[in-house]
Amino acid sequence: MTLLRGTVTGDVRVVDGIVTEVGSLTARPGEPVEDLGGRLLLPAFAEPHIHLDKAFTWARTANLGGDLAGAMSGYSRVAASPSPEDIRTRALAALRLLLSAGATAVRCQVGCGPLSGITAIEALVEVREKVAGVVDLQIVAHAAVPPSGAGRAGGDDRAHRALLRRAVTAGADLIGGNPFLEASPEAALEACFEVAADLGVGVDLHVDETTDPSVLTLPDVAKYAREHPWPVTAAHCVSLGSQPIERAREIAGDIAAAEVSVVTLPATNLYLQGREDRRRGLTVIDVLREAGVTVAAGSDNVQDPFNPTGRCDPLETASLLVTAGHQEPSTALAMVSAEARALLGLPPAGLAPGMVADLVAIRADGPHDTIATASADRIVWRRGRVVARTEVSGETAI
């Protein structure tokens, strides 16, 4: 057992990775005591959507148009000659940053398809084994429909299904993809859900990543999700923000009824979307939350053609939720911690008896200060064990 002492909340006792007591506590004989020096103790963060296989490739390629099509075209040159060692190295570098920032659970979207097969899936499975016990890492097979001999418009459904099966056999936890970009979104959705049901896995899709209101596959996702016995996540959902408000509320109600969770990804979508029409690349967070949808937020891309910035810190995402998504700081923090863990299907972590002791202590006075300052001075626990510690010191002449 360990007693965490001196937090804004008070003292926290942890036994076998679980919080057992919170309050003004007395250390027991021989009990280790961690003095947090007044740091604020919070539930650990979770990253619900990040492309670890693409991370840190910005300098190797280009996004000439600055949009989604330009990013996909630019990254195709990297995907065409994948190196498993290179993928593992970059993924581990990103995970170290995420863990130092306080994220003990991560879901990564890993590309597979005509260019690279399942090379990246296999590389991330090795990474998952390496970080087991430190980070809960989930892998989504982000699969594109392989073109048939008739060209992309005649995408081979059998090849698509075979690719999904290969990815799950190789170790992917969930099935995903970009149905809205395929020649037949309906066929792509059908394949994803049928294979996922057959294999007994969840579905996590990129959905309507555009401000174009005519692109709207989210209602179809809800239709398939109603019959799917495993969790379904819809990421991006950008065009939902371009719908008339009553239509957006109707769709939000449908996906709430279908128990579809949503991940909003402000960093990448604000960079890629709205360059021509100036609409924001965000979904309607408040409308979704009011309908009862679980809404989490993630980094998406980190220093690659889809987003040249990003530092693998959920507090960076939380800051964008406040400034661009108009969320209260406490809500923004929940979207990168409690809501994200719930979406990942993990037990609650936090400062109540019975919760998992995945925690982060940070130099801050409260939710607002946590996000506004985003101090790098943090201590991170997973199941009650310290897994990262960053201390900061500095001087100034003022």
Side-chain angles (χ1 to χ4, degrees):
M1 63 184 69
T2 301
L3 187 67
L4 308 181
R5 167 151 288 168
T7 74
V8 173
T9 305
D11 301 330
V12 177
R13 177 166 281 119
V14 176
V15 179
D16 296 332
I18 302 296
V19 173
T20 59
E21 296 179 80
V22 178
S24 180
L25 306 176
T26 300
R28 297 168 179 168
E31 181 178 36
V33 176
E34 175 86 43
D35 187 346
L36 304 185
R39 293 177 179 86
L40 178 67
L41 191 61
L42 298 167
F45 306 131
E47 172 55 71
H49 185 118
I50 188 169
H51 291 262
L52 293 177
D53 56 329
K54 294 182 173 71
F56 310 122
T57 57
W58 171 260
R60 305 184 189 185
T61 183
N63 181 348
L64 298 180
D67 56 8
L68 180 59
M72 294 177 70
S73 175
Y75 185 72
S76 66
R77 290 189 287 276
V78 176
S81 54
S83 161
E85 179 59 28
D86 176 53
I87 293 169
R88 288 192 295 268
T89 298
R90 290 185 287 101
L92 281 167
L95 285 169
R96 290 188 189 99
L97 291 173
L98 283 162
L99 186 62
S100 296
T104 59
V106 176
R107 178 178 288 181
C108 61
Q109 303 279 335
V110 182
C112 54
L115 291 175
S116 57
I118 60 169
T119 299
I121 296 284
E122 293 169 334
L124 263 296
V125 168
E126 292 186 34
V127 170
R128 183 177 61 196
E129 293 172 357
K130 184 177 181 66
V131 303
V134 180
V135 175
D136 290 304
L137 182 61
Q138 300 177 1
I139 299 171
V140 181
H142 180 60
V145 176
S148 70
R152 187 169 179 79
D156 190 338
D157 183 65
R158 286 176 298 178
H160 184 208
R161 291 168 186 262
L163 175 65
L164 293 172
R165 290 180 179 278
R166 285 179 61 209
V168 173
T169 299
D173 301 294
L174 303 98
I175 283 174
N178 271 331
F180 77 98
L181 284 177
E182 302 295 354
S184 174
E186 180 77 12
L189 279 171
E190 183 177 307
C192 285
F193 277 94
E194 287 188 0
V195 174
D198 188 43
L199 298 178
V201 299
V203 175
D204 189 332
L205 299 164
H206 288 54
V207 179
D208 305 333
E209 194 177 353
T210 174
T211 55
D212 182 352
S214 69
V215 177
L216 190 62
T217 61
L218 187 55
D220 292 326
V221 173
K223 178 184 70 174
Y224 281 99
R226 280 191 287 270
E227 305 299 325
H228 192 63
W230 286 274
V232 176
T233 300
H236 299 289
C237 304
V238 175
S239 73
L240 187 63
S242 298
Q243 305 302 317
I245 189 62
E246 290 306 319
R247 177 60 173 149
R249 287 179 176 141
E250 177 188 355
I251 295 170
D254 287 344
I255 65 171
E259 299 183 346
V260 176
S261 299
V262 169
V263 181
T264 185
L265 302 152
T268 294
N269 286 143
L270 288 169
Y271 175 71
L272 293 176
Q273 311 298 333
R275 287 175 178 264
E276 300 299 326
D277 58 22
R278 300 302 177 188
R279 279 177 286 197
R280 287 181 166 186
L282 291 172
T283 193
V284 282
I285 297 171
D286 290 334
V287 171
L288 290 164
R289 287 173 54 82
E290 288 165 6
V293 177
T294 296
V295 185
S299 301
D300 200 5
N301 297 89
V302 177
Q303 299 179 40
D304 64 26
F306 298 78
N307 174 23
T309 65
R311 55 180 190 267
C312 291
D313 184 353
L315 291 182
E316 181 181 30
T317 300
S319 179
L320 289 170
L321 291 173
V322 173
T323 56
H326 301 147
Q327 300 302 298
E328 290 297 317
S330 58
T331 301
L333 278 180
M335 290 174 67
V336 298
S337 56
E339 298 299 311
R341 281 187 70 90
L343 184 146
L344 297 181
L346 298 173
L351 304 177
M355 286 188 168
V356 173
D358 278 29
L359 306 167
V360 56
I362 186 169
R363 292 285 182 193
D365 296 326
H368 167 266
D369 190 37
T370 297
I371 296 174
T373 306
S375 171
D377 190 318
R378 306 179 200 186
I379 308 171
V380 185
W381 292 262
R382 183 183 182 276
R383 300 279 177 169
R385 178 171 71 94
V386 174
V387 291
R389 187 187 297 267
T390 304
E391 297 180 357
V392 177
S393 62
E395 295 181 7
T396 178
I398 299 176

